[in-house]
Amino acid sequence: MLFLCAIAVLSSAAAMILLYHHAESIGLVDKPDERKRHVGNIPLIGGLSAFFGVIVSMCFEGQSLLFTNALLGTGAVLALTGALDDRFDLSVRARLLVQTAAVLTMIYLTGVYVHTLGHLFGYNLELGMFGIPVTLIAVIGLLNAFNMMDGIDGLAGMLTLVSIGAISVFQGISQWHSIILLLLLAAALLPDLAANLDLIGRKVFLGDAGSVMVGYFLAWTLIHISQQAQPNLSTVDVLWCVALPVLDTLSVMVRRMREGKSPFKPDRGHIHHIMMDAGFGPHTTLVLLVGLAVSLVFMGTLTRHLAPGSNLLTFVALSIIYIALVGRIYRAQRARKASAAATAPALKPMMQPPQMVAQLNASVVGGSYKEDDEKTQRKAAGSSKQ
């Protein structure tokens, strides 16, 4: 396993070095704007490099499972679509169409989907064919959740590592072979994280190709291991493994729809934006959010020992609290910004002297200069006569 992880790291690093020198020429760079506060054009190659590392290391893994091959194939389509979105800014409709096609293809090839919610409230909740639209919503929702969380350096990558660690804890370390793809993904993300956090070399970003890919791989791995006959990971445990991205995405979408906006319209209303607007620096925000993600996973490990259904109610209650609290903070920040913007124009005239006063001062100063010049000329004339 360590050998495969080393291959993933080295392959990802080599791909990053190669792509870095061509990113500008092919247009895979992120340019700053009013929503993106970084300095200069940053290559969007971290995700593509990580995907290459996963592909190369899986070639050395030796297994040829239908589920893994289908996941890598459809994941390649999404990674390519993400790269095209980074380059040409594709429409939401086009992206959703490709994502839907990838999920349905995966279901068709493997037969894997959310067919049961497990034992809840004394009942085995079987979904049957209704599980297909549930799977579609779950996978597309999670991959876009990680895409939306990719707002500050290292956040999407670190949350991916937290989720993979959580799955390992819930699943059991001895079952690592069932999540080998995710373990190799974690290794392949290390060069991107190191460059993204300015630990080595020059800065790169994960890009939509990377954030969509990690969400897609996580979603399908969680579905696969939670839908087995005797799963170690329940359907509700899945929610705790990816709690922070799910909670933040729900909060943002609810707020946008309440405001009459598209739930996919980007803004600065995510939790990392709110924390930075509150005065926290990027690195502090990263550390606090990673700590929050780990705390939520720990909460999930505690609630899984409750009666069936109680852990789901706990997550629902937490979701309601999170949505209400974050929404309130966002509205308060926006109100303060609006008040400051309205006050600023009114203060400008008060800070400048009125026009009549300015003219009077100019005339007085000009007159004094004129009188001084006349006195100087008279003195000069008198001295010349003498």
Side-chain angles (χ1 to χ4, degrees):
M1 183 61 201
L2 292 177
F3 173 70
L4 294 176
C5 288
I7 292 177
V9 172
L10 294 175
S11 301
S12 177
M16 185 179 299
I17 294 172
L18 179 64
L19 288 173
Y20 189 91
H21 298 289
H22 300 282
E24 190 81 37
S25 61
I26 61 179
L28 281 180
V29 292
D30 199 17
K31 301 177 181 178
D33 55 28
E34 61 181 11
R35 191 171 58 87
K36 302 172 183 178
R37 306 292 178 83
H38 60 269
V39 178
N41 297 339
I42 309 298
L44 295 163
I45 58 174
L48 292 175
S49 303
F51 183 74
F52 180 78
V54 172
I55 292 291
V56 172
S57 56
M58 285 300 295
C59 290
F60 284 87
E61 201 271 331
Q63 296 185 15
S64 181
L65 301 177
L66 175 61
F67 177 82
T68 303
N69 292 338
L71 183 57
L72 290 174
T74 53
V77 173
L78 290 182
L80 176 60
T81 304
L84 292 174
D85 185 33
D86 288 331
R87 175 64 179 86
F88 299 106
D89 194 17
L90 302 179
S91 67
V92 173
R93 180 178 299 179
R95 282 178 282 151
L96 288 177
L97 182 62
V98 176
Q99 293 166 9
T100 301
V103 175
L104 294 178
T105 301
M106 189 71 187
I107 294 174
Y108 175 77
L109 292 176
T110 66
V112 176
Y113 62 93
V114 182
H115 57 81
T116 178
L117 297 179
H119 190 73
L120 296 174
F121 309 109
Y123 299 94
N124 284 320
L125 301 181
E126 298 289 336
L127 298 178
M129 295 306 294
F130 289 105
I132 294 178
V134 170
T135 304
L136 191 65
I137 295 172
V139 176
I140 293 178
L142 190 60
L143 67 88
N144 282 290
F146 273 87
N147 187 26
M148 292 178 180
M149 292 298 287
D150 188 24
I152 60 173
D153 292 347
L155 183 57
M158 290 300 297
L159 291 182
T160 301
L161 298 185
V162 170
S163 294
I164 294 173
I167 296 170
S168 301
V169 171
F170 280 100
Q171 182 78 347
I173 302 298
S174 61
Q175 302 294 319
W176 63 267
H177 57 276
S178 62
I179 58 169
I180 187 169
L181 180 66
L182 292 186
L183 296 177
L184 294 178
L185 173 62
L189 284 173
L190 294 180
D192 167 74
L193 281 171
N196 190 219
L197 295 174
D198 297 318
L199 300 179
I200 59 171
R202 299 178 180 178
K203 182 182 287 293
V204 301
F205 285 164
L206 191 64
D208 285 348
S211 57
V212 167
M213 174 196 65
V214 298
Y216 187 72
F217 284 173
L218 280 169
W220 273 114
T221 303
L222 287 167
I223 290 172
H224 189 220
I225 61 181
S226 66
Q227 297 300 304
Q228 296 174 354
Q230 297 293 331
N232 294 323
L233 192 74
S234 72
T235 307
V236 181
D237 291 337
V238 167
L239 296 174
W240 291 105
C241 290
V242 290
L244 183 56
V246 169
L247 291 176
D248 191 63
T249 300
L250 288 175
S251 172
V252 168
M253 287 191 166
V254 168
R255 174 182 56 77
R256 289 173 183 170
M257 288 188 290
R258 288 179 61 183
E259 295 174 350
K261 300 177 182 178
S262 167
F264 297 99
K265 183 179 177 60
D267 58 24
R268 290 185 59 81
H270 292 281
I271 181 64
H272 47 276
H273 295 137
I274 292 173
M275 292 180 67
M276 292 182 68
D277 288 343
F280 294 100
H283 289 147
T284 304
T285 300
L286 175 64
V287 171
L288 291 176
L289 288 180
V290 171
L292 176 59
V294 172
S295 300
L296 292 173
V297 171
F298 179 71
M299 185 182 299
T301 62
L302 298 179
T303 60
R304 72 185 316 212
H305 300 296
L306 300 176
S310 298
N311 51 353
L312 177 60
L313 292 178
T314 303
F315 190 87
V316 171
L318 179 64
S319 301
I320 295 172
I321 295 172
Y322 184 96
I323 292 171
L325 180 61
V326 173
R328 183 171 182 177
I329 295 174
Y330 174 78
R331 288 191 294 272
Q333 286 184 345
R334 193 170 62 171
R336 283 197 295 269
K337 289 180 181 178
S339 176
T343 306
L347 291 176
K348 283 185 178 180
M350 299 175 62
M351 297 173 64
Q352 297 176 353
Q355 185 175 3
M356 293 182 62
V357 174
Q359 291 177 350
L360 180 60
N361 289 338
S363 63
V364 170
V365 173
S368 63
Y369 285 159
K370 186 176 181 180
E371 291 175 359
D372 291 342
D373 289 342
E374 290 177 351
K375 291 179 180 178
T376 304
Q377 291 176 0
R378 285 198 297 268
K379 287 181 180 180
S383 61
S384 60
K385 288 180 180 180
Q386 294 174 356

